[in-house]
Amino acid sequence: MAQVALAGLTKSWAGLNAVDNVSFTVPEGQLVALLGPSGCGKSTTLRLIAGLEEPSAGTVSIAGRDVTRLAPSERRISMVFQSYALFPHLTVGENIIFGLKVRKVARAERDARLKKVADIVELSRYLDRKPAQLSGGQRQRVALARAIIAEQPVCLMDEPLSNLDAQLRHEMRVEIRSLQQRLGMTMVYVTHDQTEAMTMADIVILMRNGRIEQAGPPAALYAAPQTSFVASFIGAPAMNLVREGKITLGVRPEHVRLGDAPADAVHRRGAVTSVEYMGADTIVSLASEGGRIAARLPGASDIRVGDELTAYWAMSAQSRFDAAGQRIG
Amino acid sequence: MTGTRNSIHAWLLVLPACVLLATFTHVPIVTTFIHSLYSTPRPRRPSRFVGLDNYEAMLADPIFWKALGNNAVYALTSVPISIAIALIMALFVNGKLRGKGFVRLAYFTPTVLPMIAVANIWLFFYNPQYGLVDQLLRPFGITGVNWLGSQSTALWCLIVVAVWKEAGFFMIFYLAALQNISPDLREAAAIEGASRWTFFWRITFPLLMPTTLFVLVNAVINAFRLVDHIFVMTGGGPDNSTSVLLFHLYTVGFKFFDQAYAATLTIVLLLILALIAIGQFLLADKRVHYQ
């Protein structure tokens, strides 16, 4: 059963559609990532699900119930904010049980749940501290604990890791995903970081200008982008887009080879503009007639900037987009 | 030797502030205290040491007790009321509101006006024949009340003026503090199901405690310090019913020219203010969360 279902959801401000006719469903126990550049409407979509904004049109259903006109507290959701939204004057423990207190959960049950959740997020030793005395990662855990202890069927996350450094971000990514799977949470996760979306999500929804550009499992978005925007957004470096008359060819850097092209391969000639050594591989970029082409080569490379080379790839490895950026065939 | 040089340097830098503070604050307090132990010099009787005689005279002075009592009533009512109104106004203009810039300005206007001008405006409001208060109450059959001329109402009239004058000023501090509270907190609480009432008492009010303490200290000091409107509106009367400590002090010092007694009253006023301020900080410090 779909835990979260959006149908024709639209939010406009002063005639501009921040969210434009968005529909998708989140199956129970799955993690759906809303991905996109800033201003694409992903955060607004999340806030519409939470009930923090009122939609101009469309409906939101959670656990089979139409909640479009309900207050946030009646939607049976929990939420983790980008800023964590911890109450600075309350201790970690008080922050975590704030919702239980408000909902008048009995003291004994409150304490039992707090103990359990504090163990899960490894905060048992810090329950008496104030948020200001914690590190960024620990604050993030408090916010997480507050969402877990609510035991709501749906958890919403608004860029929860964007205030952490790279190392911690990686750890928390793994941790949130394993928590989500262990506790069977249904999660909608907003991020602008494609690595987070690709590594954590069961389904990635890529948004642009308030609309869904493509929705599907991470591998589908990577292997078969439906539009040239998806192609250029996902992957680091992104898919090469090479003009060929009215259409555009798309090919992943790892499918590009350098050297003498076999007869049945697509090939382009150009001068090397940059060589980036990344350790396990090297990204070599050429300036060809149809546009820049990056190739991912294993290990180090002795290619130098300025070398004239031919880049080629198998016909089967390429995607094709029409003039409007839509995938053909 | 850089240590010594550094400390000489530091003391030189602090010197101007020290000199100014000492000249205009500390030395006057000490000399006032010394004056309070001597009699007032008269043309034929020079000043002489009288010990605590002035303090004994003060304790026997019924007008002192009247003024102290008035001041207590004045502070205990005008301070909480003006703080409460300031907080309510700040919450009101912090929300989504059409024309809130205008409302904020309107609330703040009394602060900008000099107290003498405020007193003149209210003098008109309270006029028994054509005053605004009289006109508003006339439909209810209440008219011709001499608000400022009657012992039972005069002090309350002055309290109303003080609240009207002060609340807008304190509102500015509350408004600034409210704008520092992240809107995420409200949303997080809303998702947990906290009502506006719960959110205010559990989150907003505790987070405003540093501001409340600051405002409280200032309000109490002002309750002892602001007497301009008393001069204009009642002159301390009728029958000392609106005389407060500072007003009494002025009368003694500059109308009766009893400098020794005025010095005695000054020391007592300072002691009262110091005790209140220290008490407020000691009491409140444990309960205030500073970010």
Side-chain angles (χ1 to χ4, degrees), chain A residues 162-173:
Chain A
S162 57
N163 289 340
L164 302 179
D165 61 52
Q167 172 71 26
L168 213 51
R169 205 149 54 206
H170 176 251
E171 284 172 24
M172 289 306 292
R173 215 158 67 198

Side-chain angles (χ1 to χ4, degrees), chain B residues 177-215:
Chain B
L178 282 172
Q179 310 236 307
N180 261 334
I181 297 179
S182 156
D184 284 354
L185 296 186
R186 179 178 291 280
E187 295 183 342
I191 285 173
E192 304 281 12
S195 63
R196 290 170 73 113
W197 187 249
T198 311
F199 182 76
F200 175 76
W201 284 112
R202 299 278 294 281
I203 308 298
T204 313
F205 191 69
L207 288 178
L208 290 176
M209 272 312 272
T211 312
T212 304
L213 178 61
F214 173 80
V215 166

Side-chain angles (χ1 to χ4, degrees), chain A residues 194 198 221-222 230-239 252-254 296:
Chain A
Q194 52 159 311
M198 301 296 274
L221 266 74
Y222 189 79
V230 178
S232 66
F233 194 85
I234 286 177
M239 191 177 249
R252 293 278 171 205
E254 58 269 29
R296 186 190 292 277

Side-chain angles (χ1 to χ4, degrees), chain A residues 14-280:
Chain A
L16 271 169
N17 285 351
V19 174
D20 192 355
N21 196 18
V22 164
S23 307
F24 64 82
T25 60
V26 182
E28 183 166 1
Q30 300 228 318
L31 194 158
V32 166
L34 291 177
L35 175 68
S38 50
C40 73
K42 56 190 190 300
S43 278
T44 309
T45 306
L46 194 78
R47 292 171 61 80
L48 287 167
I49 300 174
L52 297 172
E53 304 285 351
E54 273 201 37
S56 312
T59 61
V60 179
S61 310
I62 292 173
R65 218 162 43 115
D66 182 348
V67 298
T68 317
R69 300 284 155 220
L70 293 185
S73 60
E74 299 167 87
R75 297 188 171 204
R76 308 203 54 218
I77 50 159
S78 55
M79 184 159 172
V80 173
F81 290 80
Q82 180 173 4
S83 66
Y84 314 145
L86 302 181
F87 306 120
H89 61 300
L90 300 182
T91 64
V92 169
E94 288 167 336
N95 261 290
I96 296 174
I97 60 167
F98 179 82
L100 300 186
K101 264 190 170 167
V102 167
R103 292 183 198 271
K104 304 218 174 2
V105 173
R107 198 198 172 104
E109 188 191 342
R110 223 160 59 197
D111 291 346
R113 271 159 84 172
L114 174 62
K115 193 177 173 311
K116 201 177 87 188
V117 171
D119 278 344
I120 292 177
V121 296
E122 293 165 27
L123 278 175
S124 304
R125 287 167 48 223
Y126 303 100
L127 291 180
D128 293 327
R129 297 223 188 149
K130 294 274 175 75
Q133 296 166 294
L134 300 181
S135 69
Q138 287 166 335
R139 277 180 229 175
Q140 165 71 62
R141 285 165 198 277
V142 179
L144 212 55
R146 205 165 57 180
I148 294 171
I149 204 168
E151 292 178 3
Q152 303 286 16
V154 173
C155 178
L156 308 176
M157 297 216 162
D158 188 8
E159 309 235 10
L161 305 183
S162 57
N163 289 340
L164 302 179
D165 61 52
Q167 172 71 26
L168 213 51
R169 205 149 54 206
H170 176 251
E171 284 172 24
M172 289 306 292
R173 215 158 67 198
V174 175
E175 201 166 319
I176 290 176
R177 175 60 165 166
S178 83
L179 265 178
Q180 178 264 331
Q181 288 180 324
R182 192 143 52 93
L183 304 176
M185 300 163 92
T186 306
M187 206 178 260
V188 182
Y189 188 108
V190 163
T191 180
H192 64 269
D193 180 347
Q194 52 159 311
T195 318
E196 272 173 39
M198 301 296 274
T199 53
M200 295 172 72
D202 296 297
I203 297 169
V204 175
I205 297 176
L206 181 59
M207 294 184 68
R208 180 199 193 190
N209 296 336
R211 291 167 176 277
I212 295 181
E213 195 79 5
Q214 186 173 352
L221 266 74
Y222 189 79
Q226 291 305 303
T227 66
S228 56
F229 175 76
V230 178
S232 66
F233 194 85
I234 286 177
M239 191 177 249
N240 295 306
L241 293 173
V242 186
R243 285 187 307 278
E244 187 184 70
K246 289 208 159 176
I247 66 166
T248 305
L249 303 179
V251 61
R252 293 278 171 205
E254 58 269 29
H255 295 141
V256 177
R257 302 272 176 280
L258 299 178
D260 295 330
D264 59 344
V266 186
H267 56 88
R268 288 286 184 283
R269 200 164 168 77
V272 175
T273 56
S274 72
V275 179
E276 296 166 85
Y277 174 62
M278 323 259 294

